[in-house]
Amino acid sequence: LLQRAGNWGNVMGFESITAESLPAFAAFLHRHLDGTRSPQAFVDGLAPRWAGQPPAPNHGFMLREAGEIVGGIGAIYATRQIHGESMSTCNITGWCVLDSHRQQSMRLAMAITGQPGLHFTDFSPTKVVADAWDFIVDPFYDNGGIDKGAFWQISQSLGRVAIGFSFAAVIGVAL
């Protein structure tokens, strides 16, 4: 898939994030993902210097249009001993694509997950993932308005279905 990923660049600039392009990608993440984190902090996070680790094949993949970065997905690689077995891992992080290019997002995910011999993780979930987790693990929360847990959402939905069914049954019997 890496070779094929390189060929996708003919449609739109699609490339591996290298040590040379990492600072530009980090600046993109600073501008479009998290302005409270400095570009250097993104560089340091995406290029950890762990002792005894093989060099990373890349720091993720990014999209360019007219020379400008319009999206990317970061990757942090490590080799870990799990149950006595050496496993190569890739932590997917920093996935950010401009709204105008969102239709290209899956190209990035496919390039990352298409790398052979890796086990994939995501230890840095986005706010959307964190909010979804809260929705699932606490179905009874009620923060007012429409911010309610799954139990309340499902209850309201079933209530509407019951009202509709009852209304249809009354009309059907009357006819």
Side-chain angles (χ1 to χ4, degrees):
L1 180 63
L2 286 179
Q3 179 59 41
R4 191 171 55 187
N7 291 339
W8 286 343
N10 296 333
V11 177
M12 174 183 287
F14 182 86
E15 60 191 76
S16 296
I17 300 170
T18 64
E20 293 76 29
S21 61
L22 182 57
F25 180 63
F28 172 83
L29 291 177
H30 169 74
R31 282 191 312 278
H32 300 286
L33 182 65
D34 184 355
T36 64
R37 191 169 185 195
S38 73
Q40 188 58 50
F42 278 112
V43 168
D44 293 343
L46 288 167
R49 293 169 193 81
W50 296 318
Q53 293 295 315
N58 56 60
H59 300 289
F61 293 89
M62 65 181 167
L63 299 166
R64 288 186 188 262
E65 184 174 73
E68 295 296 317
I69 299 172
V70 296
I73 186 169
I76 302 169
Y77 299 91
T79 300
R80 299 284 183 241
Q81 291 295 317
I82 301 174
H83 302 294
E85 185 181 339
S86 183
M87 300 182 102
S88 297
T89 63
C90 173
N91 183 53
I92 300 168
T93 185
W95 192 358
C96 180
V97 180
L98 298 181
D99 288 342
S100 58
H101 293 77
R102 193 63 48 94
Q103 73 274 13
Q104 302 294 325
S105 295
M106 290 311 295
R107 290 175 60 199
L108 296 166
M110 290 170 59
I112 288 283
T113 59
Q115 297 177 100
L118 295 170
H119 297 273
F120 299 94
T121 64
D122 185 3
F123 293 127
S124 52
T126 63
K127 181 173 177 6
V128 172
V129 172
D131 289 349
W133 180 251
D134 291 342
F135 182 79
I136 293 165
V137 299
D138 185 9
F140 299 104
Y141 81 85
D142 185 348
N143 294 333
I146 62 169
D147 188 8
K148 299 180 188 307
F151 173 80
W152 303 113
Q153 301 280 351
I154 292 169
S155 295
Q156 285 182 329
S157 179
L158 290 175
R160 287 189 295 271
V161 168
I163 290 169
F165 181 78
S166 299
F167 184 68
V170 167
I171 299 295
V173 169
L175 293 177

